[in-house]
Amino acid sequence: MGKLMKISVAVLFFIFLGAALLHYHTEQLYNTNLKSIYEYDINLEADSELENVTFYLPLPVYENESASGNELVNRYLQEENEWNLSLVDTENGKMLALRADRFVPKMRFPPVAISDTSEEITGVDSVESSQQGDEILGEELPETGSQVNSSENMHFAMPSEFRGELASDSEINTKFPLGNEPVLNPEYNLNLSTYDLPYSENKEPPTVYNYDSLIYADYETSPDAHVSLTVHFSGRNEWWIYGWNWNQYYEYIYADFSGPQQGWVPVKGKITMGDGNYR
């Protein structure tokens, strides 16, 4: 009986030792591979030219400072850009200012469909036949790019994107960011909402709040011009322990404008917290 007891104790000792070594190893992997990143992105779309443009946009702020905002501003100061970016104190708190004397949206066109009809054209006779066909029609055939303004070749405005990324020197509190991490300012009237996307039944769903915010827009344009703005901010942790894992919090604010603007515009936002895997 004493011998059996010794064997049992030895087995338990090695089990606990193995578990401790595995825990130590996974902790080492976690601390070595952990990356914590903030991302602050703005997307601007317009289908018409804008003049004398000023936007004040929600800014990620923590304790009245915005490291992500400063990073974005400094990045664009080093580039040739039609936009002037800066951080400003407004009556609604610290915000990101986007200014431009003139903004002309870049246009893109859908690819031209290639005809399914294939003809084998060889020799001078075929070329002459093609030329004769053009003469019968009484006009020259247009070049490929000559119909870009036709209804068959509608054009679309390319969005202007402002993207910033900032590494954090410590793990981001993605589960409880309110009061602990930067969030978009201003945020008013937070209301608990529901997480609409699928998630694992053995995990707690992310927490979602809807809220009110503000954007200042001032520009001249045609009465039928359409402008849309999307502001996105997120904090994310990524690490590798025999496979990649992550967790994050993120928020979006979307605004839609028609015609010229001058003043503060109420907009809606949403913040999602505790999305991903937690150890």
Side-chain angles (χ1 to χ4, degrees):
M1 189 67 178
K3 185 177 181 180
L4 182 60
M5 179 66 71
K6 291 180 181 179
I7 293 174
S8 299
V9 170
V11 169
L12 288 173
F13 171 77
F14 284 112
I15 289 175
F16 283 118
L17 179 62
L21 290 173
L22 179 61
H23 176 74
Y24 175 79
H25 180 60
T26 55
E27 284 297 311
Q28 288 292 103
L29 286 174
Y30 179 78
N31 294 325
T32 302
N33 295 289
L34 177 65
K35 293 181 180 180
S36 299
I37 300 169
Y38 298 105
E39 292 183 352
Y40 180 40
D41 303 328
I42 296 158
N43 187 297
L44 169 66
E45 293 186 44
D47 61 6
S48 302
E49 180 179 323
L50 311 179
E51 293 185 346
N52 302 318
V53 189
T54 298
F55 291 109
Y56 295 158
L57 302 178
L59 178 72
V61 174
Y62 178 64
E63 296 182 342
N64 204 37
E65 297 294 332
S66 181
S68 294
N70 284 322
E71 190 278 335
L72 183 65
V73 169
N74 291 334
R75 176 182 173 187
Y76 278 85
L77 283 175
Q78 299 172 14
E79 299 180 2
E80 291 290 332
N81 199 288
E82 60 194 318
W83 291 95
N84 177 275
L85 279 68
S86 62
L87 303 189
V88 295
D89 289 312
T90 74
E91 60 194 271
N92 295 295
K94 192 180 293 291
M95 303 183 77
L96 176 71
L98 262 65
R99 296 186 176 93
D101 295 331
R102 185 166 174 259
F103 171 58
V104 181
K106 296 178 177 63
M107 311 306 288
R108 67 178 173 85
F109 302 89
V112 179
I114 300 175
S115 173
D116 293 334
T117 306
S118 59
E119 296 180 295
E120 231 181 78
I121 302 176
T122 55
V124 178
D125 292 341
S126 298
V127 175
E128 291 177 351
S129 174
S130 175
Q131 291 173 344
Q132 290 172 359
D134 294 349
E135 291 173 1
I136 293 171
L137 290 173
E139 58 181 2
E140 292 184 2
L141 294 176
E143 296 181 0
T144 304
S146 64
Q147 296 182 358
V148 292
N149 294 322
S150 70
S151 60
E152 293 84 3
N153 291 277
M154 296 180 64
H155 55 269
F156 303 89
M158 295 277 288
S160 291
E161 299 176 335
F162 306 87
R163 299 189 177 279
E165 185 177 289
L166 179 68
S168 173
D169 56 5
S170 61
E171 184 176 357
I172 298 171
N173 188 343
T174 62
K175 212 163 194 176
F176 305 104
L178 296 176
N180 299 304
E181 297 287 349
V183 293
L184 292 177
N185 175 80
E187 287 184 353
Y188 307 115
N189 306 320
L190 275 76
N191 293 305
L192 187 63
S193 184
T194 56
Y195 185 71
D196 298 327
L197 298 176
Y199 62 91
S200 176
E201 293 183 358
N202 60 354
K203 289 170 49 177
E204 185 179 348
T207 304
V208 180
Y209 283 93
N210 295 323
Y211 60 83
D212 299 323
S213 189
L214 291 167
I215 285 177
Y216 181 85
D218 186 356
Y219 54 82
E220 301 164 15
T221 189
S222 61
D224 58 348
H226 176 260
V227 176
S228 65
L229 268 166
T230 305
V231 180
H232 167 258
F233 178 68
S234 67
R236 182 182 180 95
N237 299 307
E238 298 177 347
W239 67 95
W240 188 91
I241 302 178
Y242 306 114
W244 283 105
N245 286 279
W246 57 270
N247 57 58
Q248 65 175 348
Y249 75 98
Y250 56 92
E251 49 186 327
Y252 289 94
I253 291 175
Y254 178 77
D256 217 3
F257 306 106
S258 295
Q261 300 290 318
Q262 187 178 28
W264 291 99
V265 181
V267 293
K268 296 292 184 181
K270 176 182 286 189
I271 181 169
T272 301
M273 305 174 287
D275 183 26
N277 301 315
Y278 289 87
R279 303 170 67 243

